């Protein structure tokens, strides 16, 4: 099957050559990109892209989709990280399979409308029979490429942890279920729609033994590792008090560095930790809006990028953002580096590269994140004729002047968004279900 995207004003390829092609076409064939250039033809469908910017689909490297049900909870609106968690844990304790599935559908739909074609997710609590596949099935319905991670918490309040004891699991059960979901759902092949990772929630919610055992298990299974690290000052203080070292050293000691590892936030990495991550090619999921929302600080993204650390973007949970718009996240990433270090420290093009190619690299997806022959047809089409871009001299500067929702979105060559509307879901029905569940949780 072929689809031709015809006569785009500009195509930002994000390929190795950094090509920007004007007045050009993209030919999609059987889920992959067949050709990029001018004057292409097809015997299949043609979509007029005049007036549009075409980019690779955006990649979200950190999310907690279940939190879409707990946006703007009053008790957590103005709290720091640890207090925010303690406010929300009792609410999350009441979740079950329906809450996990519906919240994931809403969160992924929001991402799709913002140009995202590949999203990871970090699900680390499983109350009332919830399982990782609740989110996996939701992603299949929405039609996004998905990288769920089997998270976990094992240290409850009675053992000095933050979560209620009823939200933690036995470590043997955690490892057993990691094996179950990897065997059932992980697909390592090129073009895979679902890859599974192993993801203990954080160094302060699981034991040293589980961190080490999770790394051993993941490498035995050939899957990636993910956790939160160095998110704020409290996080670093905890590491120094409990482990006698900084978070980066703790991660290195337990095998949590390497190309198969990515850490969320990393706001408080110091120079030595940045060098460690660069040397080992350990990835970082930068979550600028959440870091602002919780007052965690500004991650040293410029220093990371200059050192060679792989960096992608994450919207983080919708209870700490409280949104899931990935192109808006890319703009925020650009602005924060400018306010911290100067207006010349991050361009709109670089921030968009981080949101596409950078995220794909962090998730180990060489087949995604760029528009080049042979790569997967994950493509965002942005209409630059609307009011947001009116007067713009440079369509590539989407993050300075441009829309925050896509006109068309293709995942594996399938049109998930058409003319700004999801093609895969009855979105009003899903939103109604979400609001019904949220109302029940409030009572």
């Amino acid at each position: 099957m072929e689809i031709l995207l015809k006569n785009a004003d500009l195509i930002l390829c994000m390929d190795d050559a950094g090509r920007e092609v004007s007045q050009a076409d993209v030919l999609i064939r059987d889920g992959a990109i067949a050709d990029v250039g001018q004057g292409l033809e097809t015997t299949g469908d043609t979509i007029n892209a005049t007036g549009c910017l075409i980019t690779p689909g955006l990649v979200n490297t950190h999310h907690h989709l279940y939190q879409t049900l707990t946006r703007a909870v009053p008790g957590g609106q103005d709290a720091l990280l640890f207090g925010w968690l303690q406010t929300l844990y009792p609410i999350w304790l009441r979740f079950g399979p329906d809450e996990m599935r519906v919240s994931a559908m809403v969160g992924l739909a929001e991402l799709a409308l913002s140009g995202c074609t590949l999203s990871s997710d970090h699900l680390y609590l499983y109350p009332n029979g919830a399982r990782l596949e609740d989110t996996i099935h939701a992603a299949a319905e929405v039609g996004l490429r998905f990288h769920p991670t089997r998270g976990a918490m094992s240290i409850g309040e009675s053992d000095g942890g933050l979560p209620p004891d009823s939200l933690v699991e036995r470590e043997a059960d955690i490892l057993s279920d990691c094996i179950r979901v990897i065997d059932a759902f992980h697909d390592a092949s090129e073009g895979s729609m679902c890859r599974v990772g192993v993801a203990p929630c954080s160094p302060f919610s699981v034991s040293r033994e589980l961190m080490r055992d999770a790394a051993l298990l993941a490498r035995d299974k050939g899957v990636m590792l993910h956790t939160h690290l160095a998110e704020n000052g409290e996080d670093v203080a905890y590491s120094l008090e409990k482990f006698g070292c900084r978070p980066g050293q703790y991660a290195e000691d337990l095998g949590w560095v390497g190309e198969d590892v990515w850490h969320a936030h990393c706001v408080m990495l110091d120079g030595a930790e940045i060098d460690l991550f660069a040397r080992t090619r350990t990835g970082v999921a930068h979550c600028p809006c959440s870091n602002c929302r919780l007052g965690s600080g500004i991650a040293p993204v410029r220093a990371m990028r200059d050192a060679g650390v792989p960096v992608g973007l994450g919207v983080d949970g919708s209870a700490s953002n409280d949104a899931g718009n990935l192109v808006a996240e890319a703009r925020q990433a650009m602005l924060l580096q400018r306010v911290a270090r100067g207006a010349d420290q991050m361009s709109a093009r670089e921030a968009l590269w981080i949101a596409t190619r950078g995220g794909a690299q962090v998730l180990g997806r060489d087949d995604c994140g760029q528009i080049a022959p042979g790569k997967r047809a994950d493509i965002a089409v942005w209409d630059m004729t609307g009011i947001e871009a009116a007067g713009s001299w440079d369509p590539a500067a989407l993050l300075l002047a441009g829309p925050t929702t896509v006109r068309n979105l293709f995942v594996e060559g399938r049109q998930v968004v058409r003319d700004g509307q999801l093609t895969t879901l009855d979105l009003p029905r899903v939103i109604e279900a979400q609001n019904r569940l949220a109302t029940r949780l409030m009572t």
Side-chain angles (χ1 to χ4, degrees):
M1 183 184 77
E2 287 190 353
I3 300 173
L4 182 64
L5 305 179
K6 188 70 176 174
N7 199 36
D9 282 14
L10 184 67
I11 301 170
L12 288 180
C13 295
M14 304 296 181
D15 59 2
D16 292 340
R19 289 187 303 158
E20 299 183 8
V21 190
S22 300
Q23 306 302 317
D25 317 324
V26 179
L27 180 62
I28 299 169
R29 181 183 300 130
D30 298 329
I33 296 166
D35 202 358
V36 181
Q38 296 171 330
L40 304 183
E41 297 182 355
T42 183
T43 57
D45 295 334
T46 298
I47 295 175
N48 183 12
T50 301
C52 294
L53 168 71
I54 293 179
T55 71
L58 277 55
V59 178
N60 179 38
T61 61
H62 186 65
H63 208 331
H64 307 295
L65 287 166
Y66 76 91
Q67 293 181 13
T68 310
L69 260 172
T70 49
R71 304 191 208 231
V73 172
Q77 288 181 17
D78 304 312
L80 298 176
L81 174 63
F82 284 13
W84 171 85
L85 284 169
Q86 289 169 325
T87 297
L88 288 164
Y89 279 141
I91 301 172
W92 295 336
L93 184 59
R94 300 168 60 195
F95 279 35
D98 285 347
E99 285 78 7
M100 296 301 186
R101 182 181 62 84
V102 174
S103 59
M105 291 173 72
V106 170
L108 290 165
E110 185 178 12
L111 283 170
L113 291 169
S114 73
C116 177
T117 52
L118 165 60
S119 181
S120 67
D121 186 46
H122 189 186
L123 181 57
Y124 53 82
L125 45 84
Y126 298 87
N128 305 309
R131 299 195 298 176
L132 187 66
E133 51 262 46
D134 299 327
T135 62
I136 293 173
H137 297 326
E141 284 196 60
V142 178
L144 291 199
R145 210 178 292 278
F146 199 38
H147 198 134
T149 60
R150 206 302 182 179
M153 298 187 295
S154 64
I155 300 177
E157 287 178 316
S158 63
D159 293 321
L162 285 176
D165 289 349
S166 51
L167 269 181
V168 303
E169 302 173 88
R170 292 177 61 250
E171 295 191 348
D173 294 339
I174 290 166
L175 294 170
S176 177
D177 198 57
C178 286
I179 294 169
R180 181 188 69 83
V181 295
I182 292 167
D183 289 347
F185 299 104
H186 179 69
D187 178 5
S189 66
E190 183 171 334
S192 165
M193 291 297 291
C194 183
R195 293 184 181 175
V196 177
V198 175
C201 181
S202 65
F204 54 80
S205 60
V206 301
S207 71
R208 177 188 295 266
E209 290 72 26
L210 183 62
M211 291 290 288
R212 184 190 61 241
D213 291 348
L216 293 171
L217 185 153
R219 291 187 172 119
D220 179 63
K221 289 289 188 179
V223 302
M224 295 189 72
L225 286 160
H226 183 52
T227 193
H228 298 90
L229 198 77
E231 184 169 353
N232 66 7
E234 290 177 287
D235 199 336
V236 175
Y238 183 95
S239 182
L240 290 169
E241 178 187 349
K242 298 294 185 180
F243 311 133
C245 62
R246 286 187 55 86
Q249 183 65 57
Y250 185 72
E252 184 180 26
D253 289 348
L254 297 178
W256 276 77
V257 293
E259 292 184 356
D260 56 351
V261 182
W262 85 103
H263 295 284
H265 302 298
C266 297
V267 173
M268 296 296 174
L269 291 190
D270 66 13
E273 289 165 324
I274 290 171
D275 290 343
L276 168 67
F277 279 29
R279 186 172 67 252
T280 57
R281 300 296 294 168
T282 303
V284 169
H286 174 44
C287 305
C289 289
S290 177
N291 296 157
C292 289
R293 161 76 159 74
L294 291 173
S296 299
I298 302 173
V301 174
R302 179 73 278 148
M304 292 182 197
R305 293 267 298 147
D306 289 347
V309 176
V311 178
L313 290 183
V315 301
D316 201 9
S318 291
S320 66
N321 188 316
D322 292 55
N325 187 304
L326 194 51
V327 72
E329 203 76 35
R331 175 179 168 85
Q332 185 79 344
M334 173 189 71
L335 294 178
L336 281 179
Q337 293 310 298
R338 290 177 174 221
V339 77
R341 301 189 49 144
D344 60 349
Q345 291 300 293
M346 183 164 288
S347 69
R349 280 171 169 79
E350 182 179 9
L352 195 56
W353 191 96
I354 293 170
T356 53
R357 187 75 181 273
Q361 286 183 348
V362 165
L363 295 183
R365 297 300 301 247
D366 293 338
D367 53 347
C368 301
Q370 57 182 302
I371 298 177
K375 304 301 180 181
R376 308 319 300 173
D378 293 2
I379 297 169
V381 181
W382 308 88
D383 185 354
M384 304 299 286
T385 65
I387 193 169
E388 304 97 330
S392 172
W393 289 29
D394 181 9
L398 173 70
L399 305 183
L400 293 176
T404 56
T405 57
V406 286
R407 193 193 78 172
N408 305 83
L409 188 74
F410 296 85
V411 182
E412 192 70 6
R414 180 188 185 194
Q415 193 164 194
V416 173
V417 177
R418 179 188 297 115
D419 297 327
Q421 301 295 319
L422 280 166
T423 65
T424 53
L425 291 182
D426 181 350
L427 191 54
R429 179 186 60 79
V430 176
I431 292 172
E432 180 184 359
Q434 171 95 331
N435 289 332
R436 185 169 61 251
L437 290 170
T439 299
R440 185 183 66 79
L441 290 167
M442 292 176 199
T443 58

